[in-house]
Amino acid sequence: MPVLEFGTAALTVAPRLPAAGQLDVWLVRRAALETAAELLDLSELSEAERRRTASFVRPADGVTYASAHVALRRLLGGYLGLPPRDVPFVREPCPGCAEPHGRPAVVHPDPPLHFSLAHSHGMAVVAVSRTVVGADVERLPRAETVEVCTPALHPGEQGELAVLGDDGERRAAFGRLWTRKEAYLKALGTGLSRDPGHDYLGADPHRRPAGWTLLDLPSGPRHNAAVAVRGTAPDQVTVRWVPPVALYAGETVDLDADGTVGVPVPVPVPVTVPVGVTTRVSDWGA
């Protein structure tokens, strides 16, 4: 059990690993640009993460990156019973060459803890589970994106998009299948080095890769999000928002908080497998 030192006192903090069959998904909004420099706590990030934050040309992208990684460290620190800056990150072996530049991971406790982080245009998703998991979030695609990327998809996916006459429906369908695809490829550890046309991640769950569960997630009106979990469907999926204040200096992420502000807005999770889902979303997060 980890022991945290505070001056001359010691505090023992028990890990809070998810139960077997439990999938926790945390949605994170970028800190407000006007106050990010003053309030966002970068002290818990590694030197490499701080350099990456400063390297973005667009300040909004840097704040999104920093918000995502502060949230990730505080969440994993809570699960592991460790200070956020002490979360032991490693790289798993690459599936292609076995070199240590594969899927990001933590030094696994027993039982293991798996996570996946994704961020895009002001929003991030962190998925945490006892089994291998991949997550993705993307801004809703433009028509030009759909046109350019569709030829690279699986033939079955291309066929599904081709029968959609309405441009809005086609963009929405493409956004859902693309986030499933990236979540699956991240869970494999290959990313887009694997041909995106090789695997079917379209609307028919029976045609998707065997041995994996794909879940579409509620993510507000401007993004799509999805999670891929190795094995059968989780017994329980909980989707929560990380309050913006939880990213500020002196604050923490409460793993027991419901993540709501005011009256919760019920948003159903459109899963395609029998799975118990609890969604806790806020009026500021929708």
Side-chain angles (χ1 to χ4, degrees):
M1 186 176 295
V3 177
L4 309 187
E5 298 290 342
F6 295 92
T8 58
L11 175 65
T12 300
V13 180
R16 293 280 306 277
L17 300 180
Q22 177 183 345
L23 171 64
D24 287 349
V25 181
W26 300 86
L27 308 179
V28 184
R29 290 289 188 197
R30 177 186 64 206
L33 297 180
E34 299 79 9
T35 56
E38 176 184 357
L39 298 176
L40 192 61
D41 188 1
L42 304 185
S43 67
E44 295 165 346
L45 301 184
S46 68
E47 182 59 34
E49 288 170 320
R50 289 194 288 270
R51 287 197 304 268
R52 178 63 174 150
T53 297
S55 72
F56 288 92
V57 175
R58 297 177 65 247
D61 294 336
V63 174
T64 297
Y65 175 91
S67 300
H69 284 258
V70 169
L72 176 67
R73 283 183 171 274
R74 291 186 173 183
L75 285 166
L76 294 181
Y79 284 108
L80 294 170
L82 292 171
R85 63 174 56 87
D86 293 339
V87 173
F89 288 108
V90 295
R91 284 279 188 173
E92 295 185 345
C94 170
C97 66
E99 293 297 319
H101 54 246
R103 181 175 47 225
V106 293
V107 177
H108 297 322
D110 186 16
L113 180 72
H114 295 272
F115 77 90
S116 185
L117 168 67
H119 51 84
S120 173
H121 294 88
M123 182 174 171
V125 174
V126 179
V128 183
S129 174
R130 291 255 293 266
T131 189
V132 172
V133 63
D136 188 48
V137 61
E138 303 285 345
R139 185 173 61 177
L140 296 179
R142 296 176 296 181
E144 297 87 341
T145 302
V146 177
E147 181 178 357
V148 169
C149 295
T150 294
L153 298 177
H154 185 279
E157 298 167 343
Q158 295 184 42
E160 290 178 0
L161 294 176
V163 300
L164 299 176
D166 181 77
D167 180 71
E169 290 182 359
R170 191 160 50 251
R171 290 168 57 200
F174 177 90
R176 289 190 296 271
L177 76 85
W178 188 262
T179 51
R180 289 184 213 118
K181 189 175 295 287
E182 289 228 38
Y184 172 66
L185 296 178
K186 288 177 67 175
L188 288 181
T190 64
L192 288 172
S193 65
R194 183 178 174 93
D195 180 359
H198 184 77
D199 306 289
Y200 172 87
L201 277 304
D204 184 355
H206 301 292
R207 298 176 61 188
R208 296 174 189 166
W212 292 87
T213 298
L214 278 299
L215 306 176
D216 297 330
L217 299 173
S219 49
R222 294 179 292 277
H223 292 80
N224 291 114
V227 171
V229 182
R230 187 164 65 188
T232 57
D235 298 324
Q236 182 68 39
V237 180
T238 303
V239 183
R240 286 168 282 188
W241 290 92
V242 175
V245 68
L247 307 179
Y248 297 162
E251 301 292 338
T252 61
V253 176
D254 182 0
L255 299 185
D256 296 319
D258 65 7
T260 63
V261 175
V263 179
V265 180
V267 177
V269 178
V271 297
T272 54
V273 292
V275 54
V277 177
T278 301
T279 58
R280 303 173 183 175
V281 297
S282 65
D283 46 10
W284 53 264

